[in-house]
């Protein structure tokens, strides 16, 4: 081989490849791994221009890939007050009081990450907003699931929302018995009534925020992620950032396909598949078959405790099936958000009838509650199971006293977030964050997947501990399985000659360190395509 551009050495390197001699050094040329071996090999690979990084006792793994994130939507959704740490109604009022103290007349107050458990058994209404800020401050608070929001009276007035609305999807404006909006907006179409009235960020500010997000993600060991949307100014943002230099990480983007889409809309999605740059591409189409259990908009076989979550997000499920068949027939990989058991079953039935056209497997996201009869079908149909461990560990409780569990009841809450069952059945299990719904840091997510509780919180009881993953399973969910889910099993996800030179280094070994400790592990270096994007 010719001399390497970059050599990485470390005491421990997990190649995630077949068993063989221990590897402690990797040579990289033109963005590709060209050799693996030991430190004694470095002198043979090294040339005058070679950069050598010896990380000492650190552990190197393939670069981590987030299976599900919303970068462009997220930089807009995370404007305003971070409410993710609020746990009580009194805490919400205190946060609103503090945030409202410095706003000018007519200025919007935005917040995000609000947990519906704050309201307990009471209805989710804008009453706390009115109590603290009065009726004249325009307020929009996004709930943590990003599928619902709480709007104050003035915000509803600005948006012209004074009663129930009819939508193409399963969205709704929640109203009281007199037909007056309570402020609770369910699903994107309803939320957009108010979101579209929010002041816009300057394009330069959005570019700066997106780049900052990518840099912070790279600093946690992420080298790539799946963007589960490609709306609004996504194309302009990715092109503008890449015109200024290399992105700190790779992105695969899947534009939304919503109920009511017509033939021209589907043709536009097919055309979008040609879009891409050096480190980003559009590949896939993102559907939703249902909403959320917390919001009562999931699709369950039987109603929840409130008599809700009984309908498909698509008023006519057959239209979803037809749109999927059309896009799959053009080789577009299908991605479907499916949370409730009825929704999961229906999507699997639709995917089962598709011709094998795309080299990239179809995938399903979230998979929150389902019976055992559905678990084995993922392997049989070669469908990727994409899950977010912190959805379970951050927003549900072992004793089932949370809103999500109370709505489902014990039987369905006990067959939830079945990561281990899916993995043991042979399914391809990709892991991710769903940022900004949950934190993107993969170290904490890997720990949560093993512990079934939040990292760093040993006093919290684990949720369904039988579904815990082993350390290797969790790491594979961010590496080997993530690559296979993108149709890249032969060129990414492992540290082997001929594979992408995407890698991350950790001060602690993810396969042997205590999970709580690994969640805090320093990341000395992250490499994408042979270029150091963090540390070094």
């Amino acid at each position: 081989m010719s001399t390497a551009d970059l050599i990485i050495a470390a005491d421990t390197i997990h190649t995630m490849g077949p068993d063989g001699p221990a590897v402690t050094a990797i040579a990289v040329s033109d963005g590709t791994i060209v050799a693996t071996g030991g430190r004694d090999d470095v002198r043979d690979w090294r040339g005058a221009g070679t950069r050598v990084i010896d990380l000492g006792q650190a552990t190197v793994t393939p670069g981590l890939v987030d299976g599900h994130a919303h970068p462009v939507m997220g930089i807009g959704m995370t404007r305003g007050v971070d409410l993710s740490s609020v746990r009580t109604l009194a805490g919400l009022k205190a946060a609103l009081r503090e945030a409202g103290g410095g706003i000018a007349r007519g200025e919007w107050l935005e917040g995000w990450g609000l947990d519906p458990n704050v309201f307990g058994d009471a209805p989710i209404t804008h009453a706390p907003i009115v109590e603290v800020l009065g009726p004249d401050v325009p307020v929009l608070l996004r709930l943590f699931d990003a599928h619902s929001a709480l709007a104050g009276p003035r915000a509803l007035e600005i948006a012209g929302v004074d009663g129930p609305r009819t939508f193409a999807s399963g969205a709704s404006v929640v109203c009281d018995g007199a037909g007056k909006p309570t402020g609770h907006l369910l699903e994107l179409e309803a939320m957009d009534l108010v979101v579209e009235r929010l002041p816009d960020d300057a394009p330069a500010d959005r570019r700066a925020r997106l780049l900052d997000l990518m840099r912070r993600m790279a600093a946690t060991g992420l080298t790539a992620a799946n963007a589960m949307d490609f709306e609004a100014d996504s194309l302009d943002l990715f092109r503008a950032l890449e015109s200024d230099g290399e992105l700190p990480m790779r992105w695969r983007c899947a534009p939304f396909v919503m109920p009511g889409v017509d033939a021209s809309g589907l043709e536009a999605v097919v055309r979008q598949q040609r879009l891409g740059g050096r480190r980003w591409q559009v590949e896939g189409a993102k559907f939703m078959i249902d909403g959320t259990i917390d919001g009562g908009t999931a699709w369950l076989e039987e109603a929840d405790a409130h008599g809700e979550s009984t309908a498909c997000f698509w008023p006519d499920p057959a239209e979803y099936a037809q749109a999927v068949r059309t896009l799959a027939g053009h080789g577009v990989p299908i991605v479907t958000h499916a949370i409730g058991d009825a929704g999961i079953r229906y999507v699997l039935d639709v995917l089962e009838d598709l011709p094998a056209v795309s080299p990239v497997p179809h995938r399903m996201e979230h998979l929150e509650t389902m019976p055992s009869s559905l678990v084995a079908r993922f392997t049989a149909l070669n469908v990727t199971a994409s899950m977010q461990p912190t959805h379970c560990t951050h927003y549900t409780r072992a004793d089932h006293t949370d809103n999500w569990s109370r709505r489902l009841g014990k039987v369905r809450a006990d067959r939830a977030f079945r990561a281990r069952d899916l993995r043991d059945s042979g399914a391809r299990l990709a892991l991710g964050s769903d940022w900004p719904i949950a934190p993107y840091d993969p170290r904490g997510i890997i720990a949560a997947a093993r512990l079934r509780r939040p990292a760093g919180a040993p006093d919290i009881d684990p949720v369904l501990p039988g579904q815990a993953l082993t350390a290797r399973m969790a790491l594979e969910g961010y590496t080997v399985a993530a690559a296979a889910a993108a149709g890249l099993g032969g060129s990414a996800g492992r540290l082997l000659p001929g594979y992408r030179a995407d890698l991350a280094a950790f001060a602690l070994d993810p396969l042997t360190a205590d999970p709580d400790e690994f969640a805090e592990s320093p990341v000395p270096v992250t490499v994408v395509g042979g270029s150091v994007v963090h540390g070094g």
Side-chain angles (χ1 to χ4, degrees):
M1 55 167 267
S2 58
T3 57
D5 303 327
L6 173 70
I7 295 173
I8 298 288
D11 285 2
T12 303
I13 297 180
H14 295 307
T15 68
M16 307 305 284
D19 291 339
V23 171
T24 56
I26 294 174
V28 175
S29 181
D30 292 329
T32 300
I33 297 171
V34 292
T36 60
R39 283 188 170 95
D40 290 344
D41 296 308
V42 170
R43 63 179 178 270
D44 297 327
W45 301 339
R46 186 173 187 170
T50 302
R51 181 178 183 184
V52 179
I53 301 176
D54 194 317
L55 296 163
Q57 296 180 345
T59 295
V60 174
T61 74
L64 306 187
V65 179
D66 192 321
H68 188 125
H70 296 278
V72 176
M73 286 181 63
I75 59 172
M77 289 166 54
T78 54
R79 300 195 313 184
V81 186
D82 181 356
L83 301 172
S84 60
S85 62
V86 171
R87 294 291 177 265
T88 65
L89 205 54
L92 173 60
K93 293 176 184 178
L96 290 173
R97 190 172 295 111
E98 180 179 356
I103 62 172
R105 181 177 178 83
E107 182 180 353
W108 282 79
L109 190 156
E110 296 180 60
W112 61 280
L114 180 61
D115 188 338
N117 286 297
V118 163
F119 291 85
D121 293 325
I124 299 173
T125 75
H126 52 38
I129 295 173
V130 175
E131 178 182 337
V132 174
L133 302 172
D136 298 326
V137 177
V139 178
L140 182 67
L141 309 178
R142 301 174 194 264
L143 273 66
F144 79 87
D145 60 10
H147 283 253
S148 52
L150 190 57
R154 178 58 181 153
L156 294 172
E157 181 183 6
I158 291 172
V161 178
D162 57 6
R165 294 286 186 93
T166 300
F167 300 99
S169 70
S172 67
V173 174
V174 180
C175 296
D176 60 21
K180 184 176 181 180
T182 65
H184 196 192
L185 306 172
L186 294 173
E187 299 302 333
L188 300 182
E189 282 190 291
M191 295 166 61
D192 282 346
L193 296 173
V194 176
V195 170
E196 290 172 355
R197 301 303 182 112
L198 294 171
D200 292 328
D201 287 325
D205 291 340
R206 285 180 60 77
R207 290 194 297 273
R209 292 190 67 190
L210 183 56
L211 181 60
D212 176 67
L213 170 67
M214 292 186 193
R215 286 173 173 162
R216 287 184 285 115
M217 293 178 80
T220 67
L222 287 167
T223 58
N226 293 267
M228 293 302 175
D229 57 80
F230 196 71
E231 291 15 85
D233 56 348
S234 295
L235 178 59
D236 293 340
L237 286 169
F238 278 101
R239 283 179 168 170
L241 289 180
E242 204 164 58
S243 70
D244 292 336
E246 296 292 359
L247 301 182
M249 56 190 295
R250 303 180 195 271
W251 291 92
R252 293 176 67 244
C253 308
F256 271 127
V257 181
M258 299 294 282
V261 65
D262 57 15
S264 63
L266 295 177
E267 290 169 2
V269 173
V270 173
R271 289 194 301 272
Q272 283 182 303
Q273 307 300 305
R274 307 188 189 105
L275 298 173
R278 295 185 300 278
R279 288 186 179 168
W280 68 274
Q281 67 180 115
V282 174
E283 186 177 44
K286 170 71 184 300
F287 290 81
M288 294 192 296
I289 201 65
D290 61 359
T292 70
I293 289 167
D294 273 307
T297 56
W299 189 11
L300 300 171
E301 303 280 11
E302 297 179 6
D304 67 12
H306 294 224
E308 298 174 338
S309 283
T310 59
C312 178
F313 185 71
W314 293 62
D316 182 357
E319 292 185 3
Y320 160 84
Q322 183 55 52
V324 164
R325 283 192 292 269
T326 298
L327 292 177
H330 284 86
V332 178
I334 303 302
V335 182
T336 304
H337 161 126
I339 279 180
D341 48 11
I344 295 169
R345 185 187 308 277
Y346 186 81
V347 174
L348 287 170
D349 288 346
V350 171
L351 296 181
E352 186 172 21
D353 291 336
L354 294 181
V357 176
S358 173
V360 178
H362 303 305
R363 58 193 287 159
M364 293 170 63
E365 308 295 314
H366 310 313
L367 309 171
E368 292 190 0
T369 181
M370 61 178 159
S372 296
S373 60
L374 298 182
V375 171
R377 295 185 66 189
F378 285 82
T379 305
L381 298 177
N382 190 33
V383 174
T384 298
S386 173
M387 301 185 74
Q388 301 74 42
T390 47
H391 282 194
C392 168
T393 62
H394 283 47
Y395 303 123
T396 70
R397 301 171 189 153
D399 62 3
H400 294 339
T401 58
D402 57 282
N403 177 62
W404 187 95
S405 300
R406 291 199 310 270
R407 278 181 171 268
L408 284 180
K410 179 174 172 53
V411 171
R412 289 182 292 193
D414 279 346
R415 63 186 194 196
F417 302 104
R418 303 179 68 169
R420 184 59 177 266
D421 287 343
L422 283 160
R423 178 57 200 264
D424 285 348
S425 75
R428 181 174 46 254
L429 178 64
L431 301 181
S433 67
D434 201 10
W435 186 85
I437 284 66
Y440 56 73
D441 193 327
R443 296 166 297 179
I445 297 170
I446 287 172
R450 297 177 58 191
L451 298 167
R452 298 292 288 193
R453 62 162 172 78
D459 56 319
I460 295 179
D461 291 333
V463 179
L464 303 173
Q467 295 300 325
L469 299 179
T470 67
R472 188 170 184 88
M473 288 175 178
L475 183 57
E476 287 175 344
Y478 267 95
T479 56
V480 178
L488 299 172
S491 61
R494 293 179 170 89
L495 299 179
L496 300 173
Y499 279 62
R500 284 178 175 174
D502 294 355
L503 57 89
F506 302 94
L508 300 178
D509 187 337
L511 297 188
T512 62
D514 175 85
D516 285 314
E517 294 180 3
F518 177 70
E520 301 295 329
S521 174
V523 180
V525 70
T526 307
V527 174
V528 175
S531 297
V532 175
V533 296
H534 163 72

